[in-house]
Amino acid sequence: MSKLILVPVDGSDPAKKAIEFAADWAKHHDATLLLVHVPEPPVGDEVMVMGGASIYMHTTPDELRTIGDSIVKAGAELAREQGCKSVETLVEIGDPARKIVAVAEDRKVDMIVMGTRGLGDWKSLLLGSVSHKVTHLADCTCVTVR
Ligand code: ATP
Ligand code: MG
């Protein structure tokens, strides 16, 4: 059976590297990529996301979902550019790490590939809170990409 790889994406450069890594792996193993984004209300004045779009404070749930759609769409384009033929996308509402793990269990994914860090500011930390929590909670193999 074809393998399913979950790549959680937040629009950050490390997540982009995770997509490139996972897409290359998928290409060589005839696997499908499942790109998942969980919208998070922005905490700063402005947060840059993949594709040049930006999100601001007081963003409504509908706006967050629209931004989420553009994040997974940009990720899917990148994966296809890397030669990965089979890509699915999903935008889910909730706590990012818990949602990512729930989708992984629900879809019985073979592996989760994510960035070590994301859009957060604490650059001195090795792992961000989402990648840390997912690695602890998930039953499947977790790969973090720097
Ligand atoms: P923190 O959020 O704790 O300040 P950070 O933003 O640097 O730190 P994480 O949020 O843990 O680090 O990001 C690590 C990886 O987790 C990202 O590269 C991405 O793969 C995934 N990720 C982070 N946030 C989300 C999200 N909201 N939806 C989907 N995937 C996410
Ligand atoms: Mg983060």
Side-chain angles (χ1 to χ4, degrees):
M1 210 168 79
S2 167
K3 301 238 183 231
L4 184 59
I5 313 300
L6 193 162
V7 186
V9 290
D10 60 354
S12 65
D13 278 345
K16 195 174 158 195
K17 285 191 183 165
I19 293 170
E20 289 169 347
F21 180 92
D24 189 54
W25 196 91
K27 190 170 68 179
H28 290 99
H29 293 83
D30 191 27
T32 295
L33 290 195
L34 173 59
L35 305 185
V36 179
H37 176 68
V38 185
E40 293 176 89
V43 287
D45 286 337
E46 185 182 14
V47 180
M48 295 308 290
V49 298
M50 193 184 284
S54 52
I55 52 181
Y56 297 89
M57 282 180 82
H58 312 306
T59 313
T60 66
D62 275 356
E63 285 167 340
L64 282 175
R65 193 172 264 284
T66 303
I67 293 159
D69 285 340
S70 73
I71 289 174
V72 290
K73 189 163 170 261
E77 274 166 26
L78 177 63
R80 291 196 186 95
E81 277 165 26
Q82 301 291 311
C84 177
K85 292 197 182 75
S86 181
V87 187
E88 293 178 35
T89 61
L90 193 62
V91 176
E92 285 279 334
I93 306 297
D95 171 72
R98 289 190 186 283
K99 262 301 164 193
I100 291 161
V101 173
V103 171
E105 284 171 6
D106 195 42
R107 295 291 306 270
K108 297 183 173 49
V109 308
D110 296 282
M111 180 163 65
I112 299 173
V113 178
M114 59 205 149
T116 49
R117 301 299 320 272
L119 292 169
D121 279 337
W122 301 92
K123 297 300 173 208
S124 58
L125 292 179
L126 180 62
L127 279 183
S129 59
V130 174
S131 48
H132 181 81
K133 201 164 160 187
V134 169
T135 306
H136 271 278
L137 294 177
D139 284 336
C140 64
T141 298
C142 293
V143 176
T144 55
V145 179
R146 202 186 325 217

